[in-house]
Amino acid sequence: MLGVIDLPTYLAGLVLIVLLPGPNSLYVLSVAARKGIRTGYTAAAGVWCGDTVLMTLSAAGVASLLQANAVLFGIVKYAGAGYLTWLAVGMLRAAWGMWRTRHERAEVSEAAAAPAAEERPYRRALVISLFNPKAILFFVAFFVQFVDPGYAYPALSFVVLGAFAQLASFLYLTALIFSGTKLAAAFRRRKRLSAGATTAAGALFLGFAVKLTLASA
């Protein structure tokens, strides 16, 4: 089909890959838990746009450039790790603030949290996606296995594979968003739970930053 081979195997692998936790999915879940379905989808849109850009760059040959140029790969890698670290520090600071005010009434806490509306989840999710050079390399390494080398229009094959990837991402992030809204009610009632979950998210983002720092082309 349009130069795509072994589609069932591709779809099976895609499901497993999408289900692996990553900074994008974790961020969407945290936004949905804190701010609701609409904002969760705003963050998810940033993920989808970022992935679309990376898939396009992969098809255009940028992955080969990153593999061949260690300096360029390092710049993108450390910029991405630095951004993830900045997000992690922000989450840990927020968690500390929740812990200090855990005995205050919910109304006070919600009023204090009002400035967080300037978070701009779409932009944050987009930047998290784009500053991940390993994602570009992954799209090429994974997609190319399912493209017929004899097909006259390989770019079209990439479009088909990318469309399936985005559909899987949409379904998965939708599930996370609605799960996050259910968690939100529990977080509002239990400040300690909210602080603990935010701390865990911050720690995971630090882990993602370290992992990206250690990545190689």
Side-chain angles (χ1 to χ4, degrees):
M1 181 184 71
L2 300 177
V4 176
I5 58 177
D6 205 2
L7 184 59
T9 301
Y10 170 75
L11 295 177
L14 185 63
V15 169
L16 294 176
I17 291 165
V18 167
L19 291 178
L20 290 175
N24 284 337
S25 56
L26 179 61
Y27 180 68
V28 171
L29 176 62
S30 69
V31 167
R34 288 181 285 114
K35 299 188 177 183
I37 293 176
R38 182 175 180 177
T39 310
Y41 272 112
T42 300
V47 174
W48 298 324
C49 289
D51 285 348
T52 299
V53 171
L54 295 184
M55 291 177 194
T56 303
L57 293 176
S58 299
V62 174
S64 299
L65 178 62
L66 287 175
Q67 285 181 309
N69 192 322
V71 174
L72 179 60
F73 182 87
I75 290 173
V76 177
K77 178 178 71 173
Y78 288 114
Y83 188 70
L84 290 177
T85 300
W86 179 71
L87 290 179
V89 171
M91 290 179 179
L92 294 174
R93 291 179 60 188
W96 174 242
M98 293 175 192
W99 180 258
R100 291 181 60 185
T101 60
R102 63 189 183 279
H103 297 304
E104 296 180 7
R105 295 191 310 169
E107 303 87 61
V108 175
S109 176
E110 289 173 3
E118 299 300 321
E119 182 176 344
R120 296 179 181 176
Y122 173 84
R123 187 176 67 178
R124 284 197 175 186
L126 179 64
V127 173
I128 291 173
S129 294
L130 294 180
F131 279 96
N132 186 2
K134 296 297 288 184
I136 301 179
L137 302 180
F138 163 76
F139 282 130
V140 167
F142 185 59
F143 281 12
V144 74
Q145 302 175 55
F146 303 97
V147 176
D148 183 355
Y151 188 63
Y153 307 102
L156 184 57
S157 303
F158 267 81
V159 170
V160 174
L161 295 173
F164 278 114
Q166 291 288 51
L167 176 60
S169 176
F170 172 81
L171 295 175
Y172 178 56
L173 292 182
T174 293
L176 290 183
I177 288 169
F178 281 92
S179 297
T181 55
K182 291 183 179 180
L183 291 174
F187 288 164
R188 282 193 293 267
R189 292 193 304 267
R190 303 174 184 177
K191 298 295 182 60
R192 293 183 181 182
L193 176 62
S194 182
T198 305
T199 299
L204 283 173
F205 266 75
L206 282 178
F208 290 135
V210 172
K211 182 179 179 181
L212 182 56
T213 301
L214 298 176
S216 60

